[in-house]
Amino acid sequence: MHMLREGHVTAGLIGIVWAFVMAITVSVTLSFASGLGFRPGGIGCLILGLSGGLAALYVRDRLVLFAGFVLVAVALLFTPVTPLVFGEDVPMQWRLAAAISFGVFSIWPLKVMLVEAHPGTLTRHAFEDAVIRFLTGFGYIIFTAIVLIPFYVMVMTSLKSQQALLRNPLDFSIELSRGWDLFTSYTELFGQFGFGSYLWTSFYVSVLTVLITLAFSVPGAYAVARLRFKGRAAFSRSILLIYMVPMIVLALPIYIAFSMTGLRNTIPGLILIYPVTTIPVALYMLQGYFRGLPVEVEEAGLMDGLSRLQVILKITLPLSLPAMVSVSLYVFMIAWNEFLLAFMLLDDPSIFTLTRGVAMLNSSEIPRQHLMAGAVIATIPIMALFLGLERFMTKGLTAGSVKG
Amino acid sequence: MTSPTPPTTRGALERREARLAWSLLLPTILIVSLVIILPLLSIFWISFKPVGLADLRPVAPMIRESLRERSGQMVVEYRVRNSSQQKEITGLGFTDTLHDGVAILELPEFCAVDGLQLRCEFGDVPGGFNERVRIPVALDGDAEALEEIVEGSAPAGYGTGDNILTNTEFTLENFARIFDGDEFLSVLWATIFYTVFGTVGALVVGLFAAMLLNKSFRGKGVLRGLYLFPYVSPIIAVAFTWVTLLDPFSGSLNALLIQMGVTAGPINFFGQRPLALIMVTVFEIWRYFPLSFLFILARMQSIDTDMYEAADMDGASPFQKFWYLSLPMLLGILSVLFLLRFIWTFNKFDDIFLLTGGNAGTRTLTVNVYEQAFAVSNIGAGAAVAVVIFATLLLFSVFFFKYISQEEGL
């Protein structure tokens, strides 16, 4: 442990690990961007990382440090100990760009990480500071990568042609020469597969779900939050309990009942069942919010001669508008993303919801880019809502606690 | 002098308030019990029934009527069928309305005419019963128009079939079947592995992400939004994206790994044991870390900074501050998240179903419900698995209510 806290050891180790991280990052990024062959070179990274870490300890002048490191990185390209190994067909400008970005993104963060480090034994504080800065940088990269890569692949695959995908699964570069043909998958989905109607079905099913959910849960939540009655505690607990019953357990009897009553394979059946899955959540979220509202305002209303229902309509609801928006968004998201019930209850392609439609695309006869285009179509509306109303959405997510 | 005591009976105001509360709750209670409690009870019932997917189609008479010419003679033809191939129908028969212009020439002995009402009785018929009844008729008027009229009025069939769901035949076969040997052990193992590692993984990763964003810098809002993407987007979109990305033949990740020299040949991530189970767990962590991240971040930002300043004065190192200050403060939210996520991961169905379909050792209890009920077409066995799940959940919820305090706001 003490060895580690020696300035040189700390700087060297962090330098080496960081150089590897960056070499992998640069290779993966460029591979995904161009489809060409890039991979990290072991010994080159080792040498560059070690020297970079040590140099960051000694060289005070940033410009000298950065320029020197990048130059060395570029120079090593032409030796056997190159930090990045390229496929045969990688043109020179790509190699240079790779080496320069590797150099910059290695040494610059290294300098920041080792800002408190110095030659000689480090204090515990300085050592941990360096480690934490390293972990932070590492965390940003890894999280951004794991979140972005699937979405990048999703969007880019949907824009490719079948042949291009089979030729090189890594090549995600956009063939701009294809012009509007890039969107072939989308036009086919909206044309032949009727995704326009799926989009509409999903939309109105979700909106109706939100409306019905609110109609049921607002009075219920108000009663649980404000009114005193026997069994209140038991009631709020049973809401939570119901919240925990997994959908698949309910889906089976619902499937049977719907099959026998002819509600299966109908949109009204779906609209009957969706709100019930969301009412407990909405009730739970709303009652939490109603509790937080000041009672005095409502009491003043009561004193002035309003009835309870008028109090709810004229005082409580306007005050809880932000909470209603959060709940609506959250319920909309659940209904929009719902898959299991739509999958089990709908068979007729003319009344599919979007998720059911995308599930239909998962067959060996339908090319992958269609499936990914379907995924994009399902994701974009909910993403747009999320990004546009993030403040409400995050509030909804936190309050809705932990619905899977 | 007596000291004043609070009233011991319920006053009128109090009663009115309770009445209002119940009337506000009534719609919710009704619909929830209709669609949740009722199915829950029925699942117990079904789990003791020998019922398959085919039994869901009710046993009923099916009757079709047509007017046509047969060897120079016009006949009204009734095709009478038992919808089931196995089960018998007792008291099968049908009634039909006769029309003007269609005169019956000859009646089979099991049919009778009462005014304008034709009634035919077949008694008890076995499964697979299929018979044509031809009644010769004389037409008075345009044949085409009469045909439309005759075929326009549907005959009404009657007769009762035995319904497996409502009779009193019970069996323990379903439970014997699902608890049977190796398969149950493998399902149990997959469930435990998936639930425990999925929950803990999502918590740890979420904690790490929250620590990254627990400082102010430019672009923080963007990153926070970005890290929520996996959770917000539809499961179907992200699951299929992962399947595409990790495909052994045309997947980009395999191409990347081969190019980087990590593996020689493609890896079938979702198709081989035990990798498939690990990968679905990784997916679970990936999809749900945003949630714990969001909660932990919210809690972190409400921690008083004075404490850290005091620790700085005392010379605490960053790790010491994390270990001795942050972590104890976060323990409450972490344990709540753990319990809730544990239950939800246990309940998870869609993810595994879409990624592997429950193959390659990834069949958890929830996937087993679907597998038994629809893939093997044994509804009873599926219901039995559902009962096992429900019983386990009841056990969890005891812990839940015991340990989750109301102060956590959950």
Side-chain angles (χ1 to χ4, degrees), chain A residues 28-45:
Chain A
V28 171
T29 314
L30 291 181
S31 295
F32 272 138
S34 67
L36 301 168
F38 298 88
R39 62 190 164 94
I43 304 175
C45 287

Side-chain angles (χ1 to χ4, degrees), chain B residues 150-228:
Chain B
V150 168
E151 291 178 7
S153 72
Y158 53 84
T160 48
D162 183 30
N163 191 336
I164 185 69
L165 284 174
T166 47
N167 68 9
T168 49
E169 188 185 339
F170 292 103
T171 175
L172 283 173
E173 180 64 24
N174 296 325
F175 287 95
R177 187 184 166 134
I178 62 159
F179 284 119
D180 175 37
D182 289 349
E183 192 182 274
F184 182 72
L185 282 183
S186 111
V187 167
L188 197 65
W189 161 244
T191 311
I192 293 173
F193 182 92
Y194 181 70
T195 311
V196 170
F197 287 97
T199 310
V200 174
L203 273 187
V204 171
V205 175
L207 180 64
F208 188 27
M211 283 194 292
L212 286 183
L213 290 192
N214 189 27
K215 49 185 96 153
S216 38
F217 56 91
R218 229 181 326 151
K220 176 181 161 175
V222 176
L223 275 188
R224 197 177 76 156
L226 184 72
Y227 289 177
L228 290 173

Side-chain angles (χ1 to χ4, degrees), chain A residues 31-32 35 149-150 153-154 157 162 164-172 368-369 372, chain B residues 240-260 263 265-270:
Chain A
S31 295
F32 272 138
I149 286 177
V153 168
M154 178 163 97
T157 308
Q162 180 79 346
L165 272 180
L166 287 177
R167 210 181 315 126
N168 183 0
L170 260 185
D171 186 1
F172 287 113
R368 281 278 129 171
Q369 67 271 25
M372 288 298 100
Chain B
F240 283 147
T241 306
W242 271 60
V243 172
T244 306
L245 185 63
L246 302 183
D247 189 275
F249 304 109
S250 61
S252 315
L253 192 72
N254 268 310
L256 191 71
L257 289 180
I258 291 173
Q259 189 198 82
M260 294 205 163
T263 61
I267 304 171
N268 192 354
F269 285 102
F270 288 125

